[in-house]
Amino acid sequence: ALKAMRACDVLFTDVPEPEAAAFLRRFCPDVRTLPAGSSGPEPVLAEAVPGRAVGLVTRGHPFATGSVARRLVREAKASGAQVEAFGAVSSFDTGVSLASERGYVDWDATHHYPHEVLTEHGVRVQTKVPTILTLPADEATRVELSRRLVSILTKAYGGRHAVFLHGPGLPAGKPVALRLSELGERLAALDARRAASVYLFVPPRR
């Protein structure tokens, strides 16, 4: 991401604090802050002419926070421009990056809640938006709760739906892509001491 910023001719940001712009000028001298409340990528797209590298820096991952970055990626790709997206340095953002590379980029919201919302409280799964779930951590009940969670998700999405495990509790801390039909076996194999630091990312059903 830092190399990409250095390669930009113009760098936009929707982070309003002046300290942010001052920091970004270490990488690109032409930094421009989008107006407060800006909901569209038009100023960025206007600068994205052939032979010119333009970037947008936003809080969190561009595919998961705010609408400007999502619209920018979608509209820039539609215009034929080469587009790259970089996440922040965290397990969540790494998981989101992995998922976005598989084509899940057009998001309007993200649901983030503990597994109990589905396994114990019977909340209906919203399959049209991305979902992030914390996983059962108690060793005594983890296998049964995991089985129940997989059953609920499989009914909602189908066994072939791609999901992503991410978090420092995974071996080597790297996100893992798998099908829902493979999830139960993978969850059962998790070290109980580390399961609480593993999250399940479920992209929307298309």
Side-chain angles (χ1 to χ4, degrees), residues 68-185:
V68 176
R70 293 197 300 272
R71 284 188 54 192
L72 175 61
V73 170
R74 184 170 60 245
E75 294 178 26
K77 283 186 174 180
S79 71
Q82 181 179 347
V83 178
E84 291 184 275
F86 302 89
V89 183
S90 72
S91 58
F92 167 75
D93 283 299
T94 302
V96 170
S97 294
L98 177 62
S100 66
E101 290 170 6
R102 307 297 174 90
Y104 304 102
V105 298
D106 190 12
W107 302 346
D108 292 319
T110 300
H111 289 174
H112 189 176
Y113 39 60
H115 71 89
E116 290 91 347
V117 171
L118 300 183
T119 58
E120 297 180 18
H121 304 310
V123 172
R124 184 177 179 181
V125 180
Q126 300 297 314
T127 61
K128 297 292 183 67
V129 296
T131 297
I132 300 167
L133 292 164
T134 56
L135 297 177
D138 178 66
E139 187 173 12
T141 59
R142 181 164 55 90
V143 174
E144 174 58 31
L145 287 175
S146 296
R147 187 182 297 116
R148 196 183 311 167
L149 178 62
V150 171
S151 175
I152 292 169
L153 293 175
T154 301
K155 287 180 182 178
Y157 295 93
R160 293 185 56 80
H161 190 72
V163 296
F164 303 84
L165 288 173
H166 59 94
L170 291 172
K174 294 182 179 180
V176 176
L178 65 161
R179 302 287 184 184
L180 267 174
S181 58
E182 305 168 318
L183 181 61
E185 182 178 352

Side-chain angles (χ1 to χ4, degrees), residues 35-88:
S38 177
S39 60
E42 289 78 10
V44 187
L45 291 169
E47 295 289 337
V49 297
R52 192 168 172 82
V54 180
L56 171 67
V57 175
T58 186
R59 284 191 173 95
H61 195 284
F63 293 147
T65 57
S67 62
V68 176
R70 293 197 300 272
R71 284 188 54 192
L72 175 61
V73 170
R74 184 170 60 245
E75 294 178 26
K77 283 186 174 180
S79 71
Q82 181 179 347
V83 178
E84 291 184 275
F86 302 89

